[in-house]
Amino acid sequence: MYGAVSEKTSNRSNLILASLFFFLWSGWAMWAVTFSNVLRAHGMERFIEYAFALTAAAAIVSPLIAGAIADRSVAPARLVRWLSWGAGLFIGLCFLSIDLGWGSAPMLIFIFLFSVCQIPVSNLLTTIVLNTLDNPTVSFGPLRMWGTIGWAVSCWFVSWVLHADTSPAAGYAGAVVTVAMGFLAYLLPSVTPLPQPDHIRTWKEMLGLDALELLRNRDHRAVFLASLLFAIPIAAVNPFTPLHLAERGSSSPAALMSLGQVSEMICLFTMAGFIARVRLKWVFLIGIFFGIARFALFTLDSKGWLIAGISLHGPCFTLFFVTGQIYLAERIEKHMQSRAQALLSLCSSGIGNLAGYLLTGWWRKICMGDGVTAWPVYWLGLSIVSIAVGAFFYLSYHGIYSKFLRSPKQTAPSTGSAPLSVVE
């Protein structure tokens, strides 16, 4: 979408980019981790999966909106500001509607509008960072880590300072931080738009669907499809783990959920060396293994085992999903990288999460009796699904035995993917 940064990376620009990652994920975490318990406390528990599903639907729609604006040569920093301010407004209105009892419809509308604004901010910021770095394989992880730190700090702040695990105050705080990020974006490095094409881009180009030709390659197809499929069981973690924690006596589930981000920080620090020593196929499979192990620990149905499972978030997310981004940066030709990253985002953050929120919500209803969830059965089902994804990837992905195809000075992809779940 955008060209190279106009000046060489400096310590000052790294500090600014790290701060923006911190604010981006901090504002998101303040409401996302508490959202299910807030809805339950206000009699809206039955809408949990639909609210989260709308955030995934936004991951499908938002590239069309951001792409249309970008085609008009809007500067990336300006777009980040506008979208951050819009996201802050809509998430504030979402929690205000819950607080004042306006009903489910306004809440769902506002959460969707928030996501439409916020998801392109994540993509744009990742774009700017990756285009700034000389070697994204080594340098992206430590910068992206500040988003993880922001997520963890916000969880602690919500639980231990605001005491808002079931209060709309968490959403109000998130709105303030998100709006503040818009002002911080005035400090973004200057990134010049690429020369515009002589035609208006189609919706297929904006969504990355013209990269479907990559699926002819066996390994590319395995990575894209496994990302979509693995996102389905993983989607259950943020909506339903806090509910399980609360039912097992935790008064601060948001703070406990931050343990996943602590382990993620460790993995982001060490993943470059790990990838250099381990065949890429096994990096992906080890990430899936940790996802299976997390659900297996959850089936033991106690606060201690839940905490142990949450701590496995880092290796699961980093070794699978972050490795997927790096895989595309290293294995896809430069002229296809932007579209490939957009397609990966569509597969995992869009289609995978949308299906995941709806299907795991439906599965929970099946596992409920008299208003009580049979959590061991629920998590066991998701563990089995994850095992099936691992088997599919093992059989489908062959890989190459040499190290990455590119030279040490890598060319970064020109767009990123939405988080997770996106889920952090």
Side-chain angles (χ1 to χ4, degrees), residues 241-324:
T241 308
L243 294 180
H244 196 176
L245 282 168
E247 290 182 13
R248 295 299 170 265
S250 173
S251 59
S252 54
L256 292 179
M257 290 291 289
S258 72
L259 292 173
Q261 278 61 52
V262 174
S263 67
E264 184 181 328
M265 283 185 268
I266 296 172
C267 290
L268 286 171
F269 265 123
T270 59
M271 71 174 299
F274 186 73
I275 289 176
R277 292 172 174 81
V278 179
R279 188 181 169 202
L280 203 60
K281 178 175 183 176
W282 291 105
V283 176
F284 280 114
L285 286 170
I286 291 169
I288 294 174
F289 167 78
F290 278 110
I292 296 168
R294 169 168 54 183
F295 291 137
L297 291 174
F298 284 176
T299 65
L300 299 177
D301 198 23
S302 71
K303 181 179 175 180
W305 288 117
L306 284 169
I307 292 172
I310 291 167
S311 300
L312 298 183
H313 163 79
C316 173
F317 173 79
T318 304
L319 296 180
F320 188 84
F321 291 104
V322 176
T323 299

Side-chain angles (χ1 to χ4, degrees), residues 196-396:
Q196 295 302 305
D198 56 5
H199 67 284
I200 296 176
R201 290 188 300 165
T202 67
W203 63 272
K204 288 185 177 180
E205 290 175 316
M206 294 178 192
L207 290 174
L209 293 181
D210 52 342
L212 287 174
E213 64 185 78
L214 294 173
L215 299 184
R216 296 175 184 173
N217 179 288
R218 177 192 58 212
D219 288 344
H220 299 344
R221 183 169 61 248
V223 170
F224 282 116
L225 291 179
S227 296
L228 189 158
L229 294 172
F230 195 38
I232 292 174
I234 294 298
V237 174
N238 270 357
F240 300 119
T241 308
L243 294 180
H244 196 176
L245 282 168
E247 290 182 13
R248 295 299 170 265
S250 173
S251 59
S252 54
L256 292 179
M257 290 291 289
S258 72
L259 292 173
Q261 278 61 52
V262 174
S263 67
E264 184 181 328
M265 283 185 268
I266 296 172
C267 290
L268 286 171
F269 265 123
T270 59
M271 71 174 299
F274 186 73
I275 289 176
R277 292 172 174 81
V278 179
R279 188 181 169 202
L280 203 60
K281 178 175 183 176
W282 291 105
V283 176
F284 280 114
L285 286 170
I286 291 169
I288 294 174
F289 167 78
F290 278 110
I292 296 168
R294 169 168 54 183
F295 291 137
L297 291 174
F298 284 176
T299 65
L300 299 177
D301 198 23
S302 71
K303 181 179 175 180
W305 288 117
L306 284 169
I307 292 172
I310 291 167
S311 300
L312 298 183
H313 163 79
C316 173
F317 173 79
T318 304
L319 296 180
F320 188 84
F321 291 104
V322 176
T323 299
Q325 288 182 299
I326 293 174
Y327 170 90
L328 295 184
E330 303 290 353
R331 294 284 300 276
I332 303 297
E333 292 302 317
K334 181 179 179 181
H335 73 281
M336 289 293 294
Q337 283 185 7
S338 176
R339 287 168 284 181
Q341 294 284 348
L343 181 60
L344 183 67
S345 176
L346 178 66
C347 287
S348 57
S349 301
I351 299 171
N353 276 351
L354 177 59
Y357 291 134
L358 294 175
L359 291 174
T360 58
W362 166 79
W363 173 236
R364 179 171 175 250
K365 287 181 172 63
I366 290 178
C367 296
M368 292 182 70
D370 297 325
V372 178
T373 303
W375 290 112
V377 176
Y378 179 76
W379 296 119
L380 177 62
L382 299 185
S383 182
I384 293 171
V385 172
S386 300
I387 291 171
V389 175
F392 162 77
F393 187 81
Y394 177 80
L395 295 173
S396 302

Side-chain angles (χ1 to χ4, degrees), residues 7-25:
E7 59 184 14
K8 188 176 176 63
T9 305
S10 65
N11 289 333
R12 179 178 179 274
S13 66
N14 280 343
L15 177 61
I16 293 169
L17 293 171
S19 299
L20 283 163
F21 270 130
F22 182 94
F23 272 73
L24 171 67
W25 293 105

Side-chain angles (χ1 to χ4, degrees), residues 18 21 136-147 149 268-269 271-272:
F21 270 130
T137 302
V138 175
S139 305
F140 179 70
L143 273 180
R144 172 60 180 79
M145 178 201 67
W146 284 98
I149 293 173
L268 286 171
F269 265 123
M271 71 174 299

